[in-house]
Amino acid sequence: MIDGRPSRTALFTAAARAAHPEVDGEPLLFRDTLAAPLLGDLAAEMVGYHRAQGDHPILSGTRTLTVTRSHYTERRLGELAGRGLGQYVILGAGLDTYAYRAGDGAGDGARGGGPRVFEADHPATQEWKRGLLAAAGIPVPDGLTFVPVDFESDEPVRRLADEGFDPGRPALVSWLGVSVYLTPDALHAALAEFGRLAPGSELIMEYLLPPALRDEAGAAYADFSGRAVSDLDEPHRTFLAPAEVADAMAAHGLKVVEDVGTREAVPAPSWRRSDALCPFDFARLVRATI
C-alpha cells in the first residue's frame, strides 16, 4: 500500500476473473459470477481490454495466474469445508468474492453453510471494496468479518483474533498475490505467526520465482508485469525458489505438503485448449500444514 491508496493490482486481478468466461473457451478454470458486478462502471472498460487484446502476454498471463490460483484454493477449501472446517482467512483479500458467492454454488468449493470468512487487508482497500459492494447492491453476508491489517507492521493473527478469529481452532489461510510485495522480514514474521495456528490448519501461499527458475514465457510475463506494478508504486520485492520456501516454512513450524506451478494447479485436461491460456513458470502455489 502507498499513501493509504487502495490496491490497483486488486483491480486488475478482479478484471481478469471477470474476463475469463467471456474471453477464454472451455473448459473454464474458474467462474467468478460477481467480479464484473463488483467492478461496476469499470467492468466494461477493463474487460474490454481482454476482449480486444486477450492474447497479449500480460493479459492472458494475468488471467492464467489468477484463475488457476482461485481454482486451486477454492477447491481445497471445498474439501476442507466438507470435513467440517469452520474458519477461512483470506489475507490480502482485495476484491475477492468468495464470501459473497458462497451461497450460490459458484466457483470451486463454494457452498452454503460453509466456514466463517475473515477478509484481512489494508484499511484503504477495504473501504474501497465496501463502496464497490454497496454500489453493486451486493450484500455483506453475516458470516463475513473484515479485518484491517498492514502486513508490513501488524501481526495478522493477533489482528484476526481481535475480530473474532479463534487461533485455537483449525483454519485455512489463503495468502495469494501478497508475499511478493512484502519485505523478507515481513514475510518471515507472518509465517512465524501462522506456524502457531491450531494443528490441522493449512496455509496456501502464492510466491514468485527468481529469474533463473523462470521459463521463456515466465520471463516475458515477469518483464511486463514487473514494469506494470512498479508504475503503480506496488513493486515486486521478494522472489523465492521452492527450496527456500520449504526452508522458511519449516523454520516456522509449517510442513509443505504440495508445491505446484500453474500446470499442476488444475486438472491436466484443463490445458488442452485453443485459447491464449497456457501454463508458465513464474508463480507457484505452496500448501503447508501446521
Side-chain angles (χ1 to χ4, degrees):
M1 298 301 304
I2 304 296
D3 298 329
R5 285 176 282 168
S7 171
R8 298 290 291 176
T9 53
L11 187 65
F12 296 133
T13 55
R17 295 196 309 274
H20 175 49
E22 297 194 31
V23 175
D24 302 312
E26 296 289 346
L28 292 180
L29 303 183
F30 188 77
R31 188 182 297 276
D32 187 334
T33 56
L34 293 181
L38 185 60
L39 290 171
D41 293 340
L42 294 170
E45 177 185 0
M46 299 198 72
V47 175
Y49 295 145
H50 288 267
R51 291 196 195 99
Q53 303 179 62
D55 59 350
H56 188 283
I58 189 64
L59 294 176
S60 62
T62 299
R63 294 199 309 281
T64 297
L65 296 181
T66 301
V67 298
T68 54
R69 75 188 189 189
S70 294
H71 173 103
Y72 180 89
T73 303
E74 289 196 19
R75 180 181 61 190
R76 183 58 182 163
L77 174 60
E79 294 170 351
L80 294 174
R83 303 174 193 171
L85 181 80
Q87 302 183 109
Y88 177 43
V89 176
I90 310 173
L91 295 175
L95 299 183
D96 188 278
T97 65
Y98 170 79
Y100 316 91
R101 290 181 283 109
D104 66 6
D108 292 273
R111 297 290 184 271
R116 182 176 179 185
V117 180
F118 297 85
E119 289 193 5
D121 213 332
H122 193 281
T125 296
Q126 292 187 328
E127 181 179 359
W128 172 54
K129 182 176 186 176
R130 284 177 178 268
L132 293 176
L133 289 166
I138 300 172
V140 176
D142 292 338
L144 169 63
T145 300
F146 290 99
V147 182
V149 173
D150 183 333
F151 293 105
E152 283 291 341
S153 58
D154 289 340
E155 298 175 356
V157 174
R158 182 183 63 79
R159 294 292 299 116
L160 285 160
D162 290 343
E163 300 296 334
F165 175 77
D166 184 352
R169 296 172 56 218
L172 172 64
V173 178
S174 167
W175 209 21
L176 309 177
V178 179
S179 70
V180 68
Y181 297 107
L182 301 180
T183 61
D185 286 347
L187 175 65
H188 279 273
L191 289 176
E193 283 202 74
F194 302 150
R196 294 192 290 270
L197 292 176
S201 296
E202 294 191 6
L203 168 69
I204 296 176
M205 183 183 86
E206 182 184 40
Y207 68 96
L208 300 186
L209 294 170
L213 298 182
R214 301 168 191 164
D215 59 11
E216 183 177 356
Y221 182 82
D223 181 56
F224 281 116
S225 65
R227 284 186 277 124
V229 297
S230 293
D231 289 344
L232 294 170
D233 290 328
E234 297 180 38
H236 295 158
R237 292 178 172 182
T238 300
F239 302 91
L240 298 165
E244 292 176 304
V245 172
D247 288 345
M249 295 282 184
H252 299 297
L254 297 104
K255 179 182 179 181
V256 172
V257 293
E258 193 168 39
D259 188 322
V260 297
T262 50
R263 182 176 300 279
E264 302 84 21
V266 299
S270 298
W271 294 120
R272 299 171 192 159
R273 37 194 333 115
S274 58
D275 54 36
L277 297 191
C278 64
F280 57 94
D281 294 329
F282 179 52
R284 294 184 66 83
L285 295 164
V286 59
R287 181 167 64 89
T289 59
I290 293 88

PDB file of all heavy atoms in Angstrom, residues 156-187:
ATOM      1  N   PRO A 156      -0.688 -10.219  11.840  1.00  0.00           N
ATOM      2  CA  PRO A 156      -2.003 -10.560  11.263  1.00  0.00           C
ATOM      3  C   PRO A 156      -2.847 -11.479  12.126  1.00  0.00           C
ATOM      4  O   PRO A 156      -4.065 -11.289  12.215  1.00  0.00           O
ATOM      5  CB  PRO A 156      -1.645 -11.208   9.921  1.00  0.00           C
ATOM      6  CG  PRO A 156      -0.193 -11.530   9.982  1.00  0.00           C
ATOM      7  CD  PRO A 156       0.415 -10.556  10.920  1.00  0.00           C
ATOM      8  N   VAL A 157      -2.258 -12.477  12.763  1.00  0.00           N
ATOM      9  CA  VAL A 157      -3.071 -13.392  13.574  1.00  0.00           C
ATOM     10  C   VAL A 157      -3.627 -12.670  14.795  1.00  0.00           C
ATOM     11  O   VAL A 157      -4.779 -12.886  15.195  1.00  0.00           O
ATOM     12  CB  VAL A 157      -2.255 -14.632  13.972  1.00  0.00           C
ATOM     13  CG1 VAL A 157      -3.059 -15.513  14.935  1.00  0.00           C
ATOM     14  CG2 VAL A 157      -1.867 -15.437  12.728  1.00  0.00           C
ATOM     15  N   ARG A 158      -2.835 -11.800  15.387  1.00  0.00           N
ATOM     16  CA  ARG A 158      -3.345 -11.021  16.518  1.00  0.00           C
ATOM     17  C   ARG A 158      -4.506 -10.133  16.084  1.00  0.00           C
ATOM     18  O   ARG A 158      -5.523 -10.029  16.779  1.00  0.00           O
ATOM     19  CB  ARG A 158      -2.233 -10.157  17.123  1.00  0.00           C
ATOM     20  CG  ARG A 158      -2.702  -9.350  18.337  1.00  0.00           C
ATOM     21  CD  ARG A 158      -1.606  -8.443  18.875  1.00  0.00           C
ATOM     22  NE  ARG A 158      -1.199  -7.447  17.901  1.00  0.00           N
ATOM     23  CZ  ARG A 158      -1.889  -6.330  17.660  1.00  0.00           C
ATOM     24  NH1 ARG A 158      -3.012  -6.077  18.308  1.00  0.00           N
ATOM     25  NH2 ARG A 158      -1.455  -5.462  16.767  1.00  0.00           N
ATOM     26  N   ARG A 159      -4.369  -9.495  14.931  1.00  0.00           N
ATOM     27  CA  ARG A 159      -5.446  -8.644  14.434  1.00  0.00           C
ATOM     28  C   ARG A 159      -6.693  -9.477  14.140  1.00  0.00           C
ATOM     29  O   ARG A 159      -7.828  -9.067  14.408  1.00  0.00           O
ATOM     30  CB  ARG A 159      -5.004  -7.899  13.170  1.00  0.00           C
ATOM     31  CG  ARG A 159      -3.897  -6.887  13.396  1.00  0.00           C
ATOM     32  CD  ARG A 159      -4.364  -5.689  14.232  1.00  0.00           C
ATOM     33  NE  ARG A 159      -5.442  -4.989  13.559  1.00  0.00           N
ATOM     34  CZ  ARG A 159      -6.683  -4.877  14.025  1.00  0.00           C
ATOM     35  NH1 ARG A 159      -7.012  -5.420  15.196  1.00  0.00           N
ATOM     36  NH2 ARG A 159      -7.596  -4.219  13.347  1.00  0.00           N
ATOM     37  N   LEU A 160      -6.504 -10.675  13.583  1.00  0.00           N
ATOM     38  CA  LEU A 160      -7.636 -11.564  13.329  1.00  0.00           C
ATOM     39  C   LEU A 160      -8.331 -11.948  14.636  1.00  0.00           C
ATOM     40  O   LEU A 160      -9.563 -11.943  14.725  1.00  0.00           O
ATOM     41  CB  LEU A 160      -7.158 -12.817  12.594  1.00  0.00           C
ATOM     42  CG  LEU A 160      -6.821 -12.650  11.116  1.00  0.00           C
ATOM     43  CD1 LEU A 160      -5.929 -13.797  10.648  1.00  0.00           C
ATOM     44  CD2 LEU A 160      -8.099 -12.616  10.274  1.00  0.00           C
ATOM     45  N   ALA A 161      -7.529 -12.290  15.638  1.00  0.00           N
ATOM     46  CA  ALA A 161      -8.103 -12.696  16.933  1.00  0.00           C
ATOM     47  C   ALA A 161      -8.893 -11.555  17.557  1.00  0.00           C
ATOM     48  O   ALA A 161      -9.921 -11.776  18.208  1.00  0.00           O
ATOM     49  CB  ALA A 161      -6.992 -13.161  17.867  1.00  0.00           C
ATOM     50  N   ASP A 162      -8.432 -10.326  17.348  1.00  0.00           N
ATOM     51  CA  ASP A 162      -9.162  -9.175  17.875  1.00  0.00           C
ATOM     52  C   ASP A 162     -10.566  -9.063  17.275  1.00  0.00           C
ATOM     53  O   ASP A 162     -11.463  -8.461  17.881  1.00  0.00           O
ATOM     54  CB  ASP A 162      -8.398  -7.878  17.578  1.00  0.00           C
ATOM     55  CG  ASP A 162      -7.124  -7.735  18.392  1.00  0.00           C
ATOM     56  OD1 ASP A 162      -6.981  -8.451  19.399  1.00  0.00           O
ATOM     57  OD2 ASP A 162      -6.272  -6.911  18.009  1.00  0.00           O
ATOM     58  N   GLU A 163     -10.738  -9.629  16.068  1.00  0.00           N
ATOM     59  CA  GLU A 163     -12.019  -9.515  15.353  1.00  0.00           C
ATOM     60  C   GLU A 163     -12.836 -10.814  15.384  1.00  0.00           C
ATOM     61  O   GLU A 163     -13.759 -10.983  14.596  1.00  0.00           O
ATOM     62  CB  GLU A 163     -11.763  -9.093  13.902  1.00  0.00           C
ATOM     63  CG  GLU A 163     -11.047  -7.755  13.764  1.00  0.00           C
ATOM     64  CD  GLU A 163     -11.864  -6.598  14.300  1.00  0.00           C
ATOM     65  OE1 GLU A 163     -13.119  -6.706  14.330  1.00  0.00           O
ATOM     66  OE2 GLU A 163     -11.265  -5.581  14.695  1.00  0.00           O
ATOM     67  N   GLY A 164     -12.487 -11.733  16.285  1.00  0.00           N
ATOM     68  CA  GLY A 164     -13.310 -12.921  16.465  1.00  0.00           C
ATOM     69  C   GLY A 164     -12.743 -14.216  15.921  1.00  0.00           C
ATOM     70  O   GLY A 164     -13.342 -15.282  16.106  1.00  0.00           O
ATOM     71  N   PHE A 165     -11.588 -14.178  15.258  1.00  0.00           N
ATOM     72  CA  PHE A 165     -10.945 -15.407  14.799  1.00  0.00           C
ATOM     73  C   PHE A 165     -10.444 -16.191  16.000  1.00  0.00           C
ATOM     74  O   PHE A 165      -9.910 -15.621  16.952  1.00  0.00           O
ATOM     75  CB  PHE A 165      -9.792 -15.063  13.866  1.00  0.00           C
ATOM     76  CG  PHE A 165      -8.967 -16.245  13.420  1.00  0.00           C
ATOM     77  CD1 PHE A 165      -9.440 -17.100  12.449  1.00  0.00           C
ATOM     78  CD2 PHE A 165      -7.716 -16.486  13.983  1.00  0.00           C
ATOM     79  CE1 PHE A 165      -8.680 -18.186  12.037  1.00  0.00           C
ATOM     80  CE2 PHE A 165      -6.953 -17.559  13.582  1.00  0.00           C
ATOM     81  CZ  PHE A 165      -7.441 -18.416  12.598  1.00  0.00           C
ATOM     82  N   ASP A 166     -10.611 -17.516  15.960  1.00  0.00           N
ATOM     83  CA  ASP A 166     -10.188 -18.369  17.063  1.00  0.00           C
ATOM     84  C   ASP A 166      -8.909 -19.106  16.681  1.00  0.00           C
ATOM     85  O   ASP A 166      -8.962 -20.089  15.920  1.00  0.00           O
ATOM     86  CB  ASP A 166     -11.294 -19.378  17.399  1.00  0.00           C
ATOM     87  CG  ASP A 166     -10.952 -20.233  18.619  1.00  0.00           C
ATOM     88  OD1 ASP A 166      -9.813 -20.151  19.116  1.00  0.00           O
ATOM     89  OD2 ASP A 166     -11.832 -21.002  19.059  1.00  0.00           O
ATOM     90  N   PRO A 167      -7.730 -18.667  17.164  1.00  0.00           N
ATOM     91  CA  PRO A 167      -6.476 -19.343  16.814  1.00  0.00           C
ATOM     92  C   PRO A 167      -6.394 -20.763  17.324  1.00  0.00           C
ATOM     93  O   PRO A 167      -5.531 -21.534  16.886  1.00  0.00           O
ATOM     94  CB  PRO A 167      -5.408 -18.460  17.483  1.00  0.00           C
ATOM     95  CG  PRO A 167      -6.086 -17.162  17.785  1.00  0.00           C
ATOM     96  CD  PRO A 167      -7.522 -17.519  18.039  1.00  0.00           C
ATOM     97  N   GLY A 168      -7.280 -21.144  18.241  1.00  0.00           N
ATOM     98  CA  GLY A 168      -7.261 -22.488  18.792  1.00  0.00           C
ATOM     99  C   GLY A 168      -8.028 -23.501  17.966  1.00  0.00           C
ATOM    100  O   GLY A 168      -8.040 -24.690  18.309  1.00  0.00           O
ATOM    101  N   ARG A 169      -8.690 -23.060  16.890  1.00  0.00           N
ATOM    102  CA  ARG A 169      -9.447 -23.964  16.015  1.00  0.00           C
ATOM    103  C   ARG A 169      -8.813 -23.970  14.630  1.00  0.00           C
ATOM    104  O   ARG A 169      -8.299 -22.944  14.173  1.00  0.00           O
ATOM    105  CB  ARG A 169     -10.906 -23.525  15.912  1.00  0.00           C
ATOM    106  CG  ARG A 169     -11.675 -23.591  17.223  1.00  0.00           C
ATOM    107  CD  ARG A 169     -13.048 -22.956  17.063  1.00  0.00           C
ATOM    108  NE  ARG A 169     -13.789 -23.580  15.971  1.00  0.00           N
ATOM    109  CZ  ARG A 169     -14.573 -22.914  15.136  1.00  0.00           C
ATOM    110  NH1 ARG A 169     -14.718 -21.596  15.231  1.00  0.00           N
ATOM    111  NH2 ARG A 169     -15.227 -23.557  14.183  1.00  0.00           N
ATOM    112  N   PRO A 170      -8.834 -25.093  13.923  1.00  0.00           N
ATOM    113  CA  PRO A 170      -8.214 -25.158  12.596  1.00  0.00           C
ATOM    114  C   PRO A 170      -8.833 -24.161  11.613  1.00  0.00           C
ATOM    115  O   PRO A 170     -10.022 -23.833  11.688  1.00  0.00           O
ATOM    116  CB  PRO A 170      -8.472 -26.604  12.159  1.00  0.00           C
ATOM    117  CG  PRO A 170      -8.656 -27.361  13.430  1.00  0.00           C
ATOM    118  CD  PRO A 170      -9.341 -26.407  14.370  1.00  0.00           C
ATOM    119  N   ALA A 171      -8.008 -23.703  10.706  1.00  0.00           N
ATOM    120  CA  ALA A 171      -8.439 -22.749   9.693  1.00  0.00           C
ATOM    121  C   ALA A 171      -7.665 -23.010   8.410  1.00  0.00           C
ATOM    122  O   ALA A 171      -6.560 -23.569   8.430  1.00  0.00           O
ATOM    123  CB  ALA A 171      -8.197 -21.320  10.160  1.00  0.00           C
ATOM    124  N   LEU A 172      -8.243 -22.592   7.303  1.00  0.00           N
ATOM    125  CA  LEU A 172      -7.498 -22.498   6.053  1.00  0.00           C
ATOM    126  C   LEU A 172      -7.170 -21.028   5.853  1.00  0.00           C
ATOM    127  O   LEU A 172      -8.062 -20.170   5.907  1.00  0.00           O
ATOM    128  CB  LEU A 172      -8.313 -23.015   4.869  1.00  0.00           C
ATOM    129  CG  LEU A 172      -7.666 -22.780   3.486  1.00  0.00           C
ATOM    130  CD1 LEU A 172      -6.354 -23.550   3.353  1.00  0.00           C
ATOM    131  CD2 LEU A 172      -8.627 -23.172   2.362  1.00  0.00           C
ATOM    132  N   VAL A 173      -5.889 -20.741   5.616  1.00  0.00           N
ATOM    133  CA  VAL A 173      -5.436 -19.378   5.373  1.00  0.00           C
ATOM    134  C   VAL A 173      -4.992 -19.280   3.919  1.00  0.00           C
ATOM    135  O   VAL A 173      -4.096 -20.003   3.479  1.00  0.00           O
ATOM    136  CB  VAL A 173      -4.274 -19.000   6.311  1.00  0.00           C
ATOM    137  CG1 VAL A 173      -3.778 -17.590   5.998  1.00  0.00           C
ATOM    138  CG2 VAL A 173      -4.716 -19.103   7.766  1.00  0.00           C
ATOM    139  N   SER A 174      -5.642 -18.398   3.174  1.00  0.00           N
ATOM    140  CA  SER A 174      -5.301 -18.146   1.772  1.00  0.00           C
ATOM    141  C   SER A 174      -4.472 -16.878   1.697  1.00  0.00           C
ATOM    142  O   SER A 174      -4.915 -15.815   2.164  1.00  0.00           O
ATOM    143  CB  SER A 174      -6.596 -18.001   0.955  1.00  0.00           C
ATOM    144  OG  SER A 174      -6.325 -17.464  -0.324  1.00  0.00           O
ATOM    145  N   TRP A 175      -3.281 -16.980   1.089  1.00  0.00           N
ATOM    146  CA  TRP A 175      -2.357 -15.838   1.015  1.00  0.00           C
ATOM    147  C   TRP A 175      -1.879 -15.734  -0.423  1.00  0.00           C
ATOM    148  O   TRP A 175      -0.780 -16.146  -0.770  1.00  0.00           O
ATOM    149  CB  TRP A 175      -1.212 -16.076   1.980  1.00  0.00           C
ATOM    150  CG  TRP A 175      -0.588 -14.837   2.524  1.00  0.00           C
ATOM    151  CD1 TRP A 175      -1.119 -13.591   2.587  1.00  0.00           C
ATOM    152  CD2 TRP A 175       0.720 -14.745   3.111  1.00  0.00           C
ATOM    153  NE1 TRP A 175      -0.247 -12.722   3.168  1.00  0.00           N
ATOM    154  CE2 TRP A 175       0.881 -13.406   3.506  1.00  0.00           C
ATOM    155  CE3 TRP A 175       1.741 -15.656   3.347  1.00  0.00           C
ATOM    156  CZ2 TRP A 175       2.059 -12.946   4.124  1.00  0.00           C
ATOM    157  CZ3 TRP A 175       2.892 -15.214   3.960  1.00  0.00           C
ATOM    158  CH2 TRP A 175       3.050 -13.877   4.346  1.00  0.00           C
ATOM    159  N   LEU A 176      -2.733 -15.175  -1.276  1.00  0.00           N
ATOM    160  CA  LEU A 176      -2.472 -15.125  -2.710  1.00  0.00           C
ATOM    161  C   LEU A 176      -2.139 -13.702  -3.134  1.00  0.00           C
ATOM    162  O   LEU A 176      -2.803 -12.752  -2.731  1.00  0.00           O
ATOM    163  CB  LEU A 176      -3.695 -15.619  -3.493  1.00  0.00           C
ATOM    164  CG  LEU A 176      -4.272 -16.969  -3.071  1.00  0.00           C
ATOM    165  CD1 LEU A 176      -5.517 -17.293  -3.888  1.00  0.00           C
ATOM    166  CD2 LEU A 176      -3.231 -18.080  -3.220  1.00  0.00           C
ATOM    167  N   GLY A 177      -1.132 -13.569  -3.987  1.00  0.00           N
ATOM    168  CA  GLY A 177      -0.790 -12.260  -4.507  1.00  0.00           C
ATOM    169  C   GLY A 177      -0.328 -11.275  -3.456  1.00  0.00           C
ATOM    170  O   GLY A 177      -0.534 -10.066  -3.616  1.00  0.00           O
ATOM    171  N   VAL A 178       0.306 -11.764  -2.390  1.00  0.00           N
ATOM    172  CA  VAL A 178       0.725 -10.882  -1.300  1.00  0.00           C
ATOM    173  C   VAL A 178       2.213 -10.985  -1.023  1.00  0.00           C
ATOM    174  O   VAL A 178       2.904  -9.962  -0.916  1.00  0.00           O
ATOM    175  CB  VAL A 178      -0.057 -11.183   0.000  1.00  0.00           C
ATOM    176  CG1 VAL A 178       0.423 -10.268   1.139  1.00  0.00           C
ATOM    177  CG2 VAL A 178      -1.551 -11.017  -0.209  1.00  0.00           C
ATOM    178  N   SER A 179       2.740 -12.194  -0.903  1.00  0.00           N
ATOM    179  CA  SER A 179       4.109 -12.363  -0.403  1.00  0.00           C
ATOM    180  C   SER A 179       5.134 -11.609  -1.243  1.00  0.00           C
ATOM    181  O   SER A 179       6.118 -11.088  -0.711  1.00  0.00           O
ATOM    182  CB  SER A 179       4.468 -13.855  -0.348  1.00  0.00           C
ATOM    183  OG  SER A 179       4.611 -14.399  -1.648  1.00  0.00           O
ATOM    184  N   VAL A 180       4.926 -11.522  -2.538  1.00  0.00           N
ATOM    185  CA  VAL A 180       5.902 -10.876  -3.419  1.00  0.00           C
ATOM    186  C   VAL A 180       6.009  -9.381  -3.144  1.00  0.00           C
ATOM    187  O   VAL A 180       7.026  -8.757  -3.440  1.00  0.00           O
ATOM    188  CB  VAL A 180       5.543 -11.125  -4.897  1.00  0.00           C
ATOM    189  CG1 VAL A 180       4.268 -10.403  -5.271  1.00  0.00           C
ATOM    190  CG2 VAL A 180       6.693 -10.719  -5.810  1.00  0.00           C
ATOM    191  N   TYR A 181       4.977  -8.780  -2.551  1.00  0.00           N
ATOM    192  CA  TYR A 181       5.004  -7.341  -2.277  1.00  0.00           C
ATOM    193  C   TYR A 181       5.585  -7.017  -0.903  1.00  0.00           C
ATOM    194  O   TYR A 181       5.727  -5.841  -0.559  1.00  0.00           O
ATOM    195  CB  TYR A 181       3.584  -6.766  -2.376  1.00  0.00           C
ATOM    196  CG  TYR A 181       2.989  -6.903  -3.757  1.00  0.00           C
ATOM    197  CD1 TYR A 181       1.989  -7.835  -4.005  1.00  0.00           C
ATOM    198  CD2 TYR A 181       3.440  -6.127  -4.814  1.00  0.00           C
ATOM    199  CE1 TYR A 181       1.445  -7.983  -5.279  1.00  0.00           C
ATOM    200  CE2 TYR A 181       2.909  -6.256  -6.079  1.00  0.00           C
ATOM    201  CZ  TYR A 181       1.912  -7.187  -6.310  1.00  0.00           C
ATOM    202  OH  TYR A 181       1.389  -7.328  -7.568  1.00  0.00           O
ATOM    203  N   LEU A 182       5.904  -8.034  -0.111  1.00  0.00           N
ATOM    204  CA  LEU A 182       6.419  -7.825   1.235  1.00  0.00           C
ATOM    205  C   LEU A 182       7.942  -7.875   1.255  1.00  0.00           C
ATOM    206  O   LEU A 182       8.579  -8.495   0.400  1.00  0.00           O
ATOM    207  CB  LEU A 182       5.887  -8.902   2.183  1.00  0.00           C
ATOM    208  CG  LEU A 182       4.370  -9.003   2.339  1.00  0.00           C
ATOM    209  CD1 LEU A 182       4.035 -10.123   3.307  1.00  0.00           C
ATOM    210  CD2 LEU A 182       3.769  -7.691   2.796  1.00  0.00           C
ATOM    211  N   THR A 183       8.512  -7.243   2.262  1.00  0.00           N
ATOM    212  CA  THR A 183       9.935  -7.415   2.510  1.00  0.00           C
ATOM    213  C   THR A 183      10.156  -8.817   3.085  1.00  0.00           C
ATOM    214  O   THR A 183       9.238  -9.406   3.678  1.00  0.00           O
ATOM    215  CB  THR A 183      10.440  -6.370   3.503  1.00  0.00           C
ATOM    216  OG1 THR A 183       9.742  -6.539   4.746  1.00  0.00           O
ATOM    217  CG2 THR A 183      10.223  -4.959   2.976  1.00  0.00           C
ATOM    218  N   PRO A 184      11.351  -9.371   2.953  1.00  0.00           N
ATOM    219  CA  PRO A 184      11.617 -10.688   3.553  1.00  0.00           C
ATOM    220  C   PRO A 184      11.330 -10.725   5.052  1.00  0.00           C
ATOM    221  O   PRO A 184      10.816 -11.725   5.565  1.00  0.00           O
ATOM    222  CB  PRO A 184      13.099 -10.916   3.249  1.00  0.00           C
ATOM    223  CG  PRO A 184      13.334 -10.163   1.978  1.00  0.00           C
ATOM    224  CD  PRO A 184      12.482  -8.926   2.105  1.00  0.00           C
ATOM    225  N   ASP A 185      11.647  -9.645   5.765  1.00  0.00           N
ATOM    226  CA  ASP A 185      11.397  -9.623   7.212  1.00  0.00           C
ATOM    227  C   ASP A 185       9.905  -9.735   7.519  1.00  0.00           C
ATOM    228  O   ASP A 185       9.495 -10.469   8.429  1.00  0.00           O
ATOM    229  CB  ASP A 185      11.953  -8.343   7.830  1.00  0.00           C
ATOM    230  CG  ASP A 185      13.469  -8.347   7.935  1.00  0.00           C
ATOM    231  OD1 ASP A 185      14.067  -9.423   7.766  1.00  0.00           O
ATOM    232  OD2 ASP A 185      14.047  -7.266   8.175  1.00  0.00           O
ATOM    233  N   ALA A 186       9.082  -8.998   6.777  1.00  0.00           N
ATOM    234  CA  ALA A 186       7.634  -9.053   6.992  1.00  0.00           C
ATOM    235  C   ALA A 186       7.083 -10.427   6.639  1.00  0.00           C
ATOM    236  O   ALA A 186       6.191 -10.949   7.313  1.00  0.00           O
ATOM    237  CB  ALA A 186       6.934  -7.972   6.177  1.00  0.00           C
ATOM    238  N   LEU A 187       7.625 -11.028   5.597  1.00  0.00           N
ATOM    239  CA  LEU A 187       7.189 -12.363   5.197  1.00  0.00           C
ATOM    240  C   LEU A 187       7.476 -13.377   6.292  1.00  0.00           C
ATOM    241  O   LEU A 187       6.601 -14.169   6.675  1.00  0.00           O
ATOM    242  CB  LEU A 187       7.893 -12.757   3.897  1.00  0.00           C
ATOM    243  CG  LEU A 187       7.651 -14.169   3.380  1.00  0.00           C
ATOM    244  CD1 LEU A 187       6.195 -14.365   2.992  1.00  0.00           C
ATOM    245  CD2 LEU A 187       8.556 -14.471   2.182  1.00  0.00           C
TER     246      LEU A 187
END
